Amino acid sequence: ADLHERWNFQANPTDPNNLIVGRVNVEVLTCPDDSSSYGTDGGLSYAINSGYAERKTFYAYSAAIQAGQVPTQATVHMYNIIPADWDGDGEAPGEPGAWTEPDDEDITRDTGVSWLAVRADNFSLKISEVYDGASNTLLLAENINSGGSGVWSDPAPPNCTFVYPIEPSQINKQNFSDPPSPAGVNGLPNAMKTAGEDTPFPSSNHFQIVNFALCDGSVRAISENIERTVYLRILTPAGAKRRFADFVPEQLLDGKDF
C-alpha cells in the first residue's frame, strides 16, 4: 500500500520519483535462486505472458527509452503491428501509416495474455477471453533474466514479459500452432537462460524445470524438455481455437459472453 501511494500514476514510469519506488526491494517479486535479483534493489524474477513476438518490434520500446524518446503504440510489442499473415490472404498488419488487418491482429492478440499499453487503454485479455481455459493458460513465468533495467516497475517488454519468438515472413495459416523461431533463438523454458539480462524467455536455476503460474491462480513446474507444440498451446489463451470473421463466443445463461 505504501508503494502504491508513493507511485505517481500521472507521470511516466521513468519519472525520477517513480524510479525511486521501482527500485525498492520487494522480496515477493524475486526468487531466492535468482542471484542477480534476490535481495537487490529493483530486483525482478518473474515475467508476464505477452504472446508471440517479432524481435524488431519487441525491442523497440527499450530502444526508444534509451534514445530519450517517448514510446508510441507503433514502436512497441503490440499485436496490431506484428506483420503476421495468419489467415494467408496475402495481407498483414503493416508499418505505421500502411494498413491494418483485423483478422490477423485478433489472432496475434490471442497468442498472449498481457499487452503493453502506452496510453490509458488496456489491451490485455480479460479472463472471459481465455477460451482455452484459465487452467490451461500460462500467466506468469520465472525468468532469471527479467528486471534487466534494474527497476521492477519498468514496463519495457524485455524487462517484465516473456514471449515466444516468431519470424513473420515465414508464417502461413498451416503453422499457427507451431511457427518457426528465428535462427539461433529458442523461446522454450530454460533454452536460453545463459543469454543474459533482458532475454525474454522463461528460465530458472531449478534443475530442469521452470515454475509457471496459470490464469486460474495455480502454480505448475514445467519441464524444460516439454514438447514445443504442447508449450505453445498452454502459452496461448486461444491457441487451439483460432478466430475467424464469423467466430461467435459461447454465452452463459445470463447472456454474457463466456
Side-chain angles (χ1 to χ4, degrees), residues 38-257:
Y38 189 72
T40 65
D41 293 342
L44 182 65
S45 302
Y46 306 105
I48 196 166
N49 176 4
S50 204
Y52 292 176
E54 177 195 29
R55 284 182 294 175
K56 180 182 71 173
T57 54
F58 185 81
Y59 286 102
Y61 184 102
S62 298
I65 289 290
Q66 293 170 1
Q69 303 169 355
V70 178
T72 64
Q73 181 180 330
T75 59
V76 299
H77 171 56
M78 281 296 294
Y79 57 87
N80 57 359
I81 63 171
I82 297 176
D85 182 18
W86 297 113
D87 57 12
D89 65 356
E91 296 184 347
E95 299 299 328
W99 63 84
T100 61
E101 189 66 17
D103 289 344
D104 290 326
E105 293 169 14
D106 286 347
I107 292 174
T108 301
R109 179 173 179 262
D110 286 343
T111 66
V113 171
S114 178
W115 294 90
L116 179 66
V118 175
R119 305 188 305 267
D121 312 48
N122 186 347
F123 297 107
S124 300
L125 270 64
K126 300 176 182 177
I127 191 68
S128 61
E129 296 175 297
V130 181
Y131 289 96
D132 285 355
S135 61
N136 298 314
T137 304
L138 304 178
L139 176 63
L140 299 171
E142 287 185 284
N143 183 13
I144 59 175
N145 295 311
S146 290
S149 66
V151 185
W152 50 256
S153 59
D154 180 1
N159 191 66
C160 60
T161 71
F162 72 95
V163 298
Y164 186 84
I166 58 172
E167 178 51 59
S169 64
Q170 299 180 31
I171 285 172
N172 60 59
K173 60 185 178 181
Q174 279 75 42
N175 66 2
F176 171 71
S177 63
D178 190 10
S181 296
V185 180
N186 190 334
L188 293 180
N190 277 342
M192 298 189 70
K193 74 176 184 178
T194 61
E197 295 294 319
D198 280 346
T199 300
F201 312 126
S203 63
S204 81
N205 286 322
H206 309 308
F207 183 66
Q208 295 186 341
I209 62 107
V210 175
N211 290 313
F212 288 82
L214 282 76
C215 290
D216 66 351
S218 62
V219 176
R220 298 284 186 271
I222 293 180
S223 170
E224 63 184 32
N225 298 311
I226 186 173
E227 206 279 327
R228 184 164 66 143
T229 55
V230 174
Y231 175 74
L232 289 173
R233 288 190 179 278
I234 59 175
L235 173 77
T236 58
K241 299 181 180 178
R242 285 185 52 189
R243 307 300 180 84
F244 297 94
D246 58 351
F247 176 85
V248 178
E250 297 178 31
Q251 298 222 331
L252 298 177
L253 294 179
D254 61 5
K256 294 181 180 180
D257 285 350

Side-chain angles (χ1 to χ4, degrees), residues 25-50:
N25 179 12
V26 181
E27 188 172 342
V28 72
L29 297 180
T30 59
C31 173
D33 286 333
D34 182 1
S35 59
S36 65
S37 296
Y38 189 72
T40 65
D41 293 342
L44 182 65
S45 302
Y46 306 105
I48 196 166
N49 176 4
S50 204

Side-chain angles (χ1 to χ4, degrees), residues 2-4 6-8 12-27 29-30 37 40-44 147 149-155 159:
D2 60 332
L3 295 178
H4 183 274
R6 290 167 56 188
W7 185 266
N8 184 355
N12 191 289
T14 57
D15 176 81
N17 290 328
N18 285 341
L19 288 177
I20 292 174
V21 177
R23 291 192 181 103
V24 172
N25 179 12
V26 181
E27 188 172 342
L29 297 180
T30 59
S37 296
T40 65
D41 293 342
L44 182 65
S149 66
V151 185
W152 50 256
S153 59
D154 180 1
N159 191 66

